[in-house]
Amino acid sequence: MKKIRYFPFGYRMAGGKIEIVPEEAELLHKIAAHYLEGCSLLRLADMADQSGTRYSENADGWNKNMIARILDDVRYLSLIHISEPTRLALI
């Protein structure tokens, strides 16, 4: 049965509760850290591809739009531990 992603990348439902997916959260940390170091979205997508972690079951690989969606989504702030004022200063 195909999984339909209703939760943001890095989260899943297990036992009736939303939980963090450790391997996806680790990739989110790397994406955020490299982004803050100045990596381009394309380079971040290549890094995510090389990690072997899939964005979704039906995605063949990562692209810069997926990375941009993650970086623009405030729901990830709790996973990557960047405060909103700090993140807004980067935009």
Side-chain angles (χ1 to χ4, degrees), residues 64-76:
K64 64 182 182 179
N65 297 318
M66 293 169 177
I67 300 295
R69 271 185 248 124
I70 287 172
L71 293 171
D72 287 339
D73 193 333
V74 296
R75 293 177 292 183
Y76 292 111

Side-chain angles (χ1 to χ4, degrees), residues 8 15 21 23 25 28 34-35 42 74 78 82 89:
V21 180
E23 58 275 2
L28 288 170
H34 285 87
Y35 177 72
L42 187 56
V74 296
S78 65
I82 296 177

Side-chain angles (χ1 to χ4, degrees), residues 6-89:
Y6 291 106
F7 296 97
F9 181 80
Y11 296 92
R12 68 178 166 215
M13 178 69 76
K17 295 183 180 186
I18 299 172
E19 66 179 24
I20 293 172
V21 180
E23 58 275 2
E24 292 179 5
E26 181 181 337
L27 179 56
L28 288 170
H29 284 277
K30 288 180 182 178
I31 288 170
H34 285 87
Y35 177 72
L36 291 173
E37 291 172 1
C39 285
S40 69
L41 297 179
L42 187 56
R43 188 168 173 195
L44 292 170
D46 290 340
M47 180 193 69
D49 261 339
Q50 292 173 4
S51 76
T53 302
R54 295 183 67 143
Y55 181 75
S56 66
E57 281 186 15
N58 60 348
D60 291 331
W62 286 79
N63 62 51
K64 64 182 182 179
N65 297 318
M66 293 169 177
I67 300 295
R69 271 185 248 124
I70 287 172
L71 293 171
D72 287 339
D73 193 333
V74 296
R75 293 177 292 183
Y76 292 111
L77 294 177
S78 65
L79 278 180
I80 59 177
H81 306 291
I82 296 177
S83 67
E84 182 66 19
T86 301
R87 185 177 178 284
L88 290 175

